Amino acid sequence: MSDLHWDNPKCDRHLLARDLNYAAENGLDVFINGDLFCAMQGRYDGRRMKSDIRPEHATNTYLDDLVDTAVEWFKPYVDNIRLVGYGNHETSILKNCETDILGRFVHGLNANGGAVTLGGYGGWITWSFFQPGSGNGCRFRAKYHHGSGGGGVVTRGVIQNQRAMAMIHGMDLFWSGHVHESYCLQLPVETLNDNANVVLKNVLHVRTPTYKEEYGDGTKGWHIMRGAPVKPLGCYVLDLLLRSKKVHASAYPLIL
């Protein structure tokens, strides 16, 4: 999942809790690719609006209270959350306020029994597989990057996936968020294996949506004024299946 914007009143916390509970009940790992926080209501931020702050955060210690309340809210899921990466909202706080709210959040989860990795704005996640009795092993490599640019009403950000294919080699999955869109696609490539045989390989691309519903009834707000469309909500499930030295990967939106 990405782009939770957990502290924003427009965050669908009911949906978020449902998805996290599903992960907890089914023993699934949770990875969060940036913008867990919205964090736009400090005095330094020109986008702040009184209507966009929750009552528990309308304090003189705004950023501290964001971290403390988030740790308490996410504490039931510490056994499932594996990685939390930075988005543009957290890096903006780091730049303008000289405090690392995401690092403090991860520290708080780990102080409550978690084993959460603090990721970057981009990075790699690697799964290693071994098939007992056969001696077969392989890896699945995912490149994650929170995202950049504005997405676009027509392209929905897909052009960024082509750019990633040109810049990044060796990945089996490219995962991004940021533009609050939802799609999964495969871009095949030709490569050579260790035996110099031609291999046709599918690179899976996943764009995870958001949990912040900004459109409302379409009558007012910054989202409406800039002509932005209704955005999808939710997260994706990544399914990895090992079969004879090869990982078969699929991704699909979690619909319950």
Side-chain angles (χ1 to χ4, degrees):
M1 53 179 61
S2 66
D3 303 276
L4 280 57
H5 299 280
W6 169 84
D7 51 299
N8 193 292
K10 297 182 178 70
C11 171
D12 189 339
R13 286 195 180 181
H14 176 76
L15 177 64
L16 177 58
R18 187 207 68 175
D19 292 350
L20 289 171
N21 286 329
Y22 178 85
E25 292 164 3
N26 291 277
L28 303 183
D29 292 337
V30 174
F31 300 84
I32 301 173
N33 190 1
D35 285 356
L36 181 147
F37 290 104
C38 206
M40 294 195 302
Q41 306 312 316
R43 66 174 60 187
Y44 58 86
D45 201 318
R47 300 169 293 182
R48 65 189 183 275
M49 290 183 63
K50 291 181 179 179
S51 61
D52 282 343
I53 190 169
R54 292 180 178 270
E56 64 268 29
H57 299 144
T59 67
N60 291 329
T61 52
Y62 169 64
L63 295 177
D64 295 332
D65 293 327
L66 285 187
V67 174
D68 292 342
T69 53
V71 169
E72 286 300 311
W73 198 90
F74 284 92
K75 192 163 58 174
Y77 311 108
V78 294
D79 291 336
N80 300 91
I81 299 175
R82 293 287 171 259
L83 177 140
V84 180
Y86 289 85
N88 50 292
H89 283 253
E90 291 93 4
T91 53
S92 176
I93 296 296
L94 188 59
K95 174 184 175 182
N96 294 303
C97 300
E98 299 179 335
T99 185
D100 185 354
I101 58 172
L102 198 68
R104 292 163 57 190
F105 168 73
V106 169
H107 176 79
L109 289 185
N110 289 340
N112 283 277
V116 184
T117 296
L118 179 63
Y121 198 95
W124 290 83
I125 306 167
T126 301
W127 288 265
S128 297
F129 294 90
F130 179 73
Q131 213 161 28
S134 67
N136 294 336
C138 58
R139 291 186 176 89
F140 185 86
R141 300 175 176 90
K143 171 66 179 178
Y144 72 89
H145 185 271
H146 176 66
S148 60
V153 176
V154 176
T155 64
R156 305 283 181 172
V158 175
I159 193 171
Q160 299 290 349
N161 297 95
Q162 294 286 9
R163 290 171 177 154
M165 291 292 286
M167 295 188 302
I168 306 163
H169 293 177
M171 61 186 175
D172 302 297
L173 165 70
F174 182 74
W175 171 33
S176 56
H178 183 58
V179 295
H180 299 189
E181 298 292 352
S182 174
Y183 57 79
C184 177
L185 58 105
Q186 288 185 332
L187 298 179
V189 294
E190 176 187 332
T191 185
L192 288 177
N193 64 16
D194 293 337
N195 297 320
N197 295 320
V198 172
V199 175
L200 303 182
K201 169 185 172 181
N202 284 321
V203 179
L204 189 65
H205 289 252
V206 176
R207 178 83 73 170
T208 43
T210 182
Y211 283 89
K212 184 168 68 169
E213 205 300 286
E214 299 180 86
Y215 194 88
D217 61 2
T219 61
K220 57 183 179 297
W222 178 73
H223 191 79
I224 303 303
M225 290 171 62
R226 68 188 184 95
V230 180
K231 295 288 187 174
L233 305 180
C235 67
Y236 271 71
V237 175
L238 175 65
D239 217 353
L240 302 179
L241 178 62
L242 176 62
R243 282 185 179 172
S244 183
K245 294 187 178 181
K246 186 175 181 181
V247 177
H248 294 258
S250 60
Y252 50 89
L254 179 58
I255 300 174
L256 300 175

